[in-house]
Amino acid sequence: MPVEFPPVHVPRPYALPATALAARVEVPTEDGAAIVAWTYAPEGVVDAPGTPFGIDLSAPPVLMLHGNGEEHGIFGPVIDAVCASGRAVIALDSRAQGQSTRGTAPLSYELMAADAIEACARLGVPEVHVLGFSDGGILGLLLARDWGAHVLSVTALGANLTPAGLPKEDTDWMAYAAAENRRWAAEGEEGATLEDGTPVPSPAESAQIAELLQLMVENPQIDAASLASVSCPVTVMVGEFDEILPEETDRIVAAIAGARKVVEPGIDHNLPKMAPAAVARELLATVQKNDVRHPRRAIELPDGLAICRIPVSGRWAEKLDGLYRRVDAEPGTSGWVQDVWPPVGMAAELLATGAYWGAFDAADVRDGRPTDDAVLLGAVAVDHDADMGDGSAPGHGSGLGGPSWARRAEKDVACWHLLAADPAARGRHVADALLAAGVRGAREIGARTVRLNTSVANVPANALYASRGFMRHRPLWLPYPGLPLPGWTSLWELEL
């Protein structure tokens, strides 16, 4: 007796992106999945040093996350509209969907949100605007809640907080379809087709479909009160005839201060396919509400500050230690942890070599030397040691020749270490003074270029380098044990 086919979903046709693909990147995860990220860039921007993967950090990109059982191409015309506005797009195929693989970890929305964070780390992107549809909208809310320092805005299309946000007949049907696909996964056959020639999923495909459907039956389970911490602009968009219950949409909007609700007339749940122009309109309007940019300008010493070498003798080792303790204690995205980074003794060793430069009040520097009671506002060490890690271990790199930068002689390369500004001096542009100090120090040792690495998670540091003429290169894998940071590190270069 023939085995009965499971329900076969035939997706509604949709327009794929017309914008040329900049890069396709496979992002490995700890549990063995490969998450595929697709990047699209404005006209004239290519995957090259300065804009690796086609992404220019001076205008943070839009991260696009699709719905259950789909792939990134559903956003085709929206991708085109964003790129036409001068901004890059990162579009993911979520785990077990599109070209991304399953891995072994239990499937959850929280896991998929972590995948998106890892993809941004792999691409060297510290800040994004998020557009999510359906399941992707759920991920957008989780990212804004749990990764808020990196999310500039969220446009969530057809999102829900719990399965109760859908009509019961919808979740009942999903439970039935999941069960039928599990049955076909156990009993079905390869190569089956419906009478009209439509392919029936293979047993392996049905197993994956069943798991994705069951995810929607049981999840998400997001406490509306937990969204109170979301501080970026949020637009919650639904179709007039959306499957998401109106009261569920209202619950999301009420939970987030300043969130905006948009109902698109005449449209059901499939907003990206049925109303891409409306989606693009609302997305770009939401982006505009927090249009953070990092325009390029020259490195200049700010008024009222002075830079000079930090003396080797005296209380300066103690002052450096105090500076780093205050930086480590400051909440933020640097990820530095007391006695882990900087490692114990590292600053003292660099100081002993005469490599350190400091930023001070101008009145506290006389004849090119800080007074004994000068307050150290910030510091950076400059030398020729350009190894990233030890320069030879798997995944480590070197400033003398990295993933995409040219090989240089050691004497021509300066590397900056442990650049840090005192949190107490915020607003005085100490970081700019440290860049000026680093450039002066590099020139004094005869370097022709500065090369450095910084965590992809460090929002202010990456923004600083992006806006001061540094060239960004593809990140390399350089984990720092003991630090709550991604394993990827951004590489920056400045020609002198």
Side-chain angles (χ1 to χ4, degrees):
M1 181 177 178
V3 179
E4 185 177 347
F5 298 149
V8 176
H9 173 64
V10 179
R12 179 178 294 170
Y14 51 89
L16 294 171
T19 304
L21 180 68
R24 177 190 181 277
V25 183
E26 292 192 5
V27 181
T29 67
E30 289 185 356
D31 72 312
I35 308 304
V36 179
W38 311 79
T39 63
Y40 297 86
E43 185 175 0
V45 179
V46 298
D47 177 14
T51 54
F53 311 112
I55 299 170
D56 183 350
L57 293 188
S58 65
V62 174
L63 171 66
M64 297 191 182
L65 304 166
H66 61 74
N68 193 287
E70 298 177 327
E71 55 88 30
H72 82 282
I74 65 157
F75 291 115
V78 185
I79 291 172
D80 296 338
V82 172
C83 291
S85 77
R87 193 180 301 270
V89 169
I90 302 166
L92 298 190
D93 283 353
S94 289
R95 179 182 289 254
Q97 297 158 83
Q99 293 188 20
S100 295
T101 59
R102 168 66 180 80
T104 59
L107 197 63
S108 69
Y109 290 115
E110 289 75 13
L111 178 64
M112 292 182 186
D115 291 340
I117 294 171
E118 186 67 12
C120 289
R122 173 67 187 94
L123 299 172
V125 174
E127 300 173 292
V128 291
H129 299 273
V130 180
L131 170 66
F133 166 56
S134 197
D135 276 19
I138 295 168
L139 301 185
L141 296 175
L142 290 174
L143 290 170
R145 184 191 72 182
D146 301 335
W147 198 50
H150 307 270
V151 176
L152 298 172
S153 73
V154 173
T155 304
L157 316 175
N160 58 300
L161 300 181
T162 72
L166 296 169
K168 186 175 184 301
E169 56 267 30
D170 284 16
T171 51
D172 285 349
W173 184 90
M174 287 188 286
Y176 162 76
E180 286 295 289
N181 274 280
R182 283 192 293 271
R183 177 185 56 77
W184 181 256
E187 304 172 0
E189 60 189 35
E190 301 281 344
T193 60
L194 301 181
E195 289 184 1
D196 63 2
T198 300
V200 175
S202 70
E205 290 168 338
S206 277
Q208 194 159 284
I209 291 168
E211 186 178 27
L212 289 167
L213 287 168
Q214 195 65 38
L215 179 67
M216 293 191 290
V217 172
E218 300 174 356
N219 292 282
Q221 296 294 338
I222 301 173
D223 181 359
S226 72
L227 299 179
S229 63
V230 174
S231 58
C232 67
V234 174
T235 294
V236 183
M237 187 177 183
V238 292
E240 180 184 6
F241 306 113
D242 210 299
E243 284 87 343
I244 303 297
L245 296 174
E247 54 266 32
E248 181 77 342
T249 300
D250 291 340
R251 196 156 70 103
I252 298 171
V253 173
I256 302 171
R260 186 172 64 108
K261 181 174 79 170
V262 176
V263 179
E264 188 63 20
I267 304 298
D268 63 21
H269 187 62
N270 290 288
L271 282 159
K273 298 177 184 179
M274 296 181 67
V279 170
R281 177 195 70 220
E282 298 303 332
L283 167 64
L284 293 175
T286 307
V287 168
Q288 189 63 37
K289 291 178 179 293
N290 193 24
D291 190 8
V292 172
R293 292 180 182 253
H294 309 295
R296 291 175 177 82
R297 60 185 180 86
I299 295 173
E300 296 177 340
L301 182 63
D303 292 340
L305 299 181
I307 54 175
C308 64
R309 287 189 182 273
I310 298 176
V312 173
S313 59
R315 296 180 55 216
W316 293 103
E318 179 184 336
K319 291 186 179 185
L320 275 172
D321 183 67
L323 168 68
Y324 290 125
R325 287 185 179 277
R326 290 189 294 278
V327 171
D328 287 350
E330 178 75 4
T333 58
S334 74
W336 288 17
V337 174
Q338 187 68 54
D339 297 331
V340 178
W341 196 262
V344 175
M346 183 178 182
E349 291 176 8
L350 288 166
L351 179 64
T353 68
Y356 259 110
W357 288 72
F360 305 90
D361 281 307
D364 289 341
V365 175
R366 298 169 188 168
D367 299 324
R369 182 182 175 90
T371 60
D372 291 342
D373 59 351
V375 174
L376 181 62
L377 303 179
V380 60
V382 185
D383 61 20
H384 286 299
D385 181 7
D387 285 340
M388 313 298 181
D390 67 7
S392 61
H396 292 198
S398 169
L400 303 183
S404 65
W405 51 29
R407 183 159 294 280
R408 291 279 181 88
E410 182 175 355
K411 66 180 179 62
D412 292 332
V413 178
C415 192
W416 294 353
H417 311 278
L418 303 183
L419 186 151
D422 194 326
R426 185 174 288 116
R428 299 194 60 191
H429 306 290
V430 172
D432 278 301
L434 294 176
L435 296 187
V439 168
R440 184 183 298 180
R443 286 179 171 143
E444 284 196 7
I445 62 174
R448 297 168 56 192
T449 187
V450 171
R451 288 173 174 175
L452 60 107
N453 68 297
T454 190
S455 170
V456 295
N458 193 326
V459 172
N462 284 289
L464 179 70
Y465 301 134
S467 64
R468 298 301 188 274
F470 285 74
M471 177 180 288
R472 187 167 70 95
H473 293 267
R474 287 193 172 202
L476 58 78
W477 179 254
L478 182 60
Y480 284 75
L483 298 183
L485 294 171
W488 299 98
T489 188
S490 288
L491 301 177
W492 294 94
E493 179 177 33
L494 180 68
E495 293 290 343
L496 299 179

